[in-house]
Amino acid sequence: MVESYSKNANHNMRRPVVKEDVVSYMRTHLLENQGHLAEIANFAHHENIPIIQHEVVAYFRFLMASLAPKSILEIGTAIGFSALLMAEYAPEAQITTIDRNPEMIALAKDNFAKYDSRHQITLLEGEAADQLNQLDQEYDFVFVDSAKSKYIVFLPDIIKHVKKGGIIVFDDVFQGGDIAKPIEEVRRGQRTIYRGLHRLFDATLKHPDLTASLIPMSDGLLLLRKDADQVILED
Ligand SMILES: C[S@@+](CC[C@H](N)C(=O)[O-])C[C@H]1O[C@@H](n2cnc3c(N)ncnc32)[C@H](O)[C@@H]1O
């Protein structure tokens, strides 16, 4: 029994931003997970551990095959599902993934020991802000899937560690659609995340040295391409 996630922990994951019948169609018609990825996804669903949803799995297969990144950074490992997915579909990539939750780290380590057969994945344990500070390389692809209110805090360090032409994907940026509402209509407990996500959008969507895209898939993906060697963010 995994303690970290209660049955009600993932409020926004149950509020699709796309019509439910379309979501259901995508989840039942896209290629299923196979082998160990199916096993880990089933475990995550059984234990209510939030991993990327199936339409995002299919999108990541597509991105990995098309971009063929050689170096990947992930913030938010959980039990290692998305890291192992990227390892499978980007077989030449070295992947660094960060998490701070000891229970998730223990499960991820088990999964990597069993299934990271090409030794692609390095797990960094600790608060992402601290770990990001210590990275000494640039990455082709970054996947950000951690505490949403911190995305804006991590942004400068993430941008610094992406190559020119590299891609950053942020997961869950629509808050089940709340992001488009005035703040007064958002539950009080969700307002810090709401403000953080708006600051992230303000900093990135129209930045001259970034190409940005918002994709209404799952709970919303923000995609950024770094178009210059140096990207200066406004305070
Ligand atoms: C949504 S889960 C990641 C799911 C994973 N990417 C997947 O799809 O298989 C989010 C994870 O981020 C971790 N996390 C959240 N905020 C963090 C932070 N500030 N530093 C490090 N890890 C963090 C949590 O412990 C949790 O395991």
Side-chain angles (χ1 to χ4, degrees), residues 149 152-153 155 194-204 235:
S149 58
I152 181 64
V153 178
L155 183 69
Y194 174 96
R195 287 194 195 91
L197 290 172
H198 274 280
R199 284 178 59 209
L200 176 72
F201 291 165
D202 290 346
T204 58
D235 289 332

Side-chain angles (χ1 to χ4, degrees), residues 5 13 40 49-53 74-83 97-102 104-105 124 126-129 131 143-148 150 154 171-172:
Y5 292 98
M13 285 182 77
I40 298 170
I49 296 165
I51 62 167
I52 48 171
Q53 293 178 320
E74 175 180 69
I75 306 175
T77 317
I79 60 174
F81 174 76
S82 50
T97 181
I98 303 173
D99 209 292
R100 66 179 176 191
N101 177 324
M104 294 296 105
I105 288 169
L124 301 181
E127 170 56 44
Q131 297 297 328
F143 178 42
V144 194
D145 190 17
S146 56
K148 318 303 161 206
K150 291 283 176 63
F154 300 156
D171 196 18
D172 300 324

Side-chain angles (χ1 to χ4, degrees), residues 120-139:
Q120 292 171 263
I121 302 172
T122 305
L123 174 60
L124 301 181
E125 302 175 31
E127 170 56 44
D130 302 331
Q131 297 297 328
L132 282 167
N133 253 322
Q134 292 173 34
L135 297 175
D136 59 1
Q137 72 169 100
E138 292 186 331
Y139 297 87

Side-chain angles (χ1 to χ4, degrees), residues 10-233:
N10 317 315
H11 176 64
N12 288 328
M13 285 182 77
R14 281 187 275 276
R15 299 166 69 210
V17 296
V18 176
K19 285 182 187 171
E20 286 199 41
D21 52 347
V22 177
V23 173
S24 163
Y25 185 88
M26 288 194 284
R27 291 189 189 163
T28 49
H29 285 73
L30 287 160
L31 178 71
E32 306 83 13
N33 288 309
Q34 317 285 330
H36 63 275
L37 292 173
E39 187 189 305
I40 298 170
N42 288 339
F43 177 82
H45 295 144
H46 184 260
E47 296 292 343
N48 207 29
I49 296 165
I51 62 167
I52 48 171
Q53 293 178 320
H54 195 60
E55 59 276 26
V56 182
V57 170
Y59 186 53
F60 267 48
R61 288 184 196 128
F62 184 90
L63 283 180
M64 292 299 114
S66 310
L67 300 170
K70 299 274 195 305
S71 52
I72 297 176
L73 172 65
E74 175 180 69
I75 306 175
T77 317
I79 60 174
F81 174 76
S82 50
L84 284 162
L85 174 78
M86 293 189 282
E88 175 101 8
Y89 290 92
E92 290 180 33
Q94 285 302 313
I95 301 170
T96 299
T97 181
I98 303 173
D99 209 292
R100 66 179 176 191
N101 177 324
E103 192 179 29
M104 294 296 105
I105 288 169
L107 290 163
K109 279 183 175 171
D110 278 354
N111 285 329
F112 296 154
K114 277 194 268 184
Y115 303 124
D116 178 23
S117 49
R118 286 186 288 255
H119 302 290
Q120 292 171 263
I121 302 172
T122 305
L123 174 60
L124 301 181
E125 302 175 31
E127 170 56 44
D130 302 331
Q131 297 297 328
L132 282 167
N133 253 322
Q134 292 173 34
L135 297 175
D136 59 1
Q137 72 169 100
E138 292 186 331
Y139 297 87
D140 298 317
F141 186 89
V142 182
F143 178 42
V144 194
D145 190 17
S146 56
K148 318 303 161 206
S149 58
K150 291 283 176 63
Y151 286 180
I152 181 64
V153 178
F154 300 156
L155 183 69
D157 263 332
I158 292 171
I159 296 227
K160 204 163 69 188
H161 287 99
V162 179
K163 289 180 195 167
K164 182 180 174 187
I167 307 286
I168 310 166
V169 178
F170 293 87
D171 196 18
D172 300 324
V173 295
F174 283 169
Q175 277 196 297
D178 281 355
I179 201 72
K181 295 179 185 165
I183 194 162
E184 304 75 46
E185 290 176 27
V186 176
R187 290 196 310 177
R188 284 191 185 278
Q190 292 284 311
R191 289 185 187 172
T192 304
I193 299 178
Y194 174 96
R195 287 194 195 91
L197 290 172
H198 274 280
R199 284 178 59 209
L200 176 72
F201 291 165
D202 290 346
T204 58
L205 295 186
K206 297 180 184 172
H207 195 291
D209 296 325
L210 298 169
T211 302
S213 175
L214 283 168
I215 305 188
M217 176 186 285
S218 183
D219 190 30
L221 301 181
L222 168 63
L223 267 65
L224 299 175
R225 180 183 187 278
K226 181 174 171 181
D227 295 334
D229 283 318
Q230 274 218 322
V231 174
I232 313 279
L233 296 165

